[in-house]
Every structure is written in structure tokens, then in C-alpha cells.
Amino acid sequence: REHERLQYFSEALLSAQEEERKRVSRELHDDLNQRLAALIMEMGLMEKNPPRSAGEAKTTCERLKGRVVEVSDEVRRIALQLHSAGLEQFGLAAALKHECMSVSERNGLKIYFKTGGVPEKLPDNLSLCLYRVAQECLRNIVKHSKAPDASVTLCGDDPPRIRLCVEDNGVGFDPMQARTRMSLGLISMNERLRQVNGTFTLTSKPGEGTRLEASVPFEH
């Protein structure tokens, strides 16, 4: 049974990795590539029809500069999804706060972030685990919940533990059905937490939102 479980997980992990590659590829091709193509076309038009005055040239340059900034911001967003440099530089709480702000701005979703009692320095594997779990939760909220609001809470506890709670007021679902279907998201979160001796509970009902709480022990 253990062999079958590991085999299933390895297959699910490979499938999840391939889906992630496809998602990044679509974002690069469908979004960034189209933006760059539009920018090149606009620059070509400007080359054929140069501005007739200094004021017109300034306006055109400012518009093109804005387009370049948008592309740069999108590249940074994709890079942060793949690897958060802020997680290493500023710690878990700061990285999660930034992630909540970024998801909120992109999707028009109000996300309330709260933290307290979390040491500035945590083991790297623990920080990365909780960061990825929070990312997966926020991705599911945006994709499935239809929620207008969500909250992310990160706090320290005694005996030394870090607790992460992600909650939304969306449409909810039946957790038993999700476990029966062996959702890749749930498998990924469960395996990440298992590797750091953590646990999580998932609470949801149709029409009553969803709450996921993860708890990970650590040593000072």
C-alpha cells in the first residue's frame, strides 16, 4: 500500500509540475508575447511617422515607457510565483504580505493579512512550505471560490509552532468529494506539510466558504 501511495504521489507530482509548466508557458506566450508584439508594432509606427513636435514625442515616449513598465511588472510577478526572493531576504511574514497584496491587486479580491508572534528567522524548508501552501490556497480562492473577501493569518504559538490560516467567504465545497477525487492541490499541500512534520485541517460547506489551517512545529 505504501508503494502504491508513493507511486500515485510521484505520478500526481509529475502531472502537477507539467500543469505548472503549461500555465507559465501560456502566460509567457499569450500575455507577455502579445504585449511585446504590440509594443514593437507601436514603435514601428512611430518610426514610420515620427512625432512632429517635442511635446508629441514626449507623450509618445511616456506611453511606450508605461507599456515597458507593465511588461516588466508581469515578468517580476511570474518570477515571484516560481521563486520568491523576498522569502529569503525579508522572511515569511513579509513575503506572504506581499503575495496577498499582489493577488488582491491582480484579481480585485480583498485579502486581509494578519500576523503576530512569528520569529524573523525560520528554517528555510518551513518558510517555503507555508509560503507554497498559502499560494495554493490563494490560487484556489481566485479560481474556484467566487469570494469577495479572504483572509490570511500567520501566527506563532506555544509550544513553538507556526500556524497558517487561509479563509474565504465564497461558495465552498464538500471536502469529502475533494478527498475522493484526490485533488492535486490537496496532495501537494499534504506532502509539503508532512515533510516538515506539519498537519492541516480543511473545513468547508457548500455556500459557507472554506477554511484551511496548517500547523508546523519548529525549534528556536
Side-chain angles (χ1 to χ4, degrees), residues 6 9 12 19 31 34 43 64 66 69 78 89 91 112 120 129 157 177 182-183 185 194:
L6 289 173
F9 176 73
E19 285 300 315
D31 188 12
Q34 289 183 10
M43 293 175 69
L64 293 176
V69 169
I78 294 173
Q89 295 177 10
Y112 303 94
E120 291 185 10
C129 168
D157 202 356
Q177 290 185 1
M182 294 297 283
S183 160
R194 188 183 68 81

Side-chain angles (χ1 to χ4, degrees), residues 179-190:
R179 290 190 178 94
T180 301
R181 294 196 304 267
M182 294 297 283
S183 160
L184 289 179
L186 289 178
I187 291 173
S188 173
M189 287 189 285
N190 184 68

Side-chain angles (χ1 to χ4, degrees), residues 108-125:
L109 172 70
K110 290 182 180 179
I111 302 177
Y112 303 94
F113 177 74
K114 295 179 290 185
T115 185
V118 179
E120 291 185 10
K121 183 61 178 174
L122 291 170
D124 292 342
N125 60 339

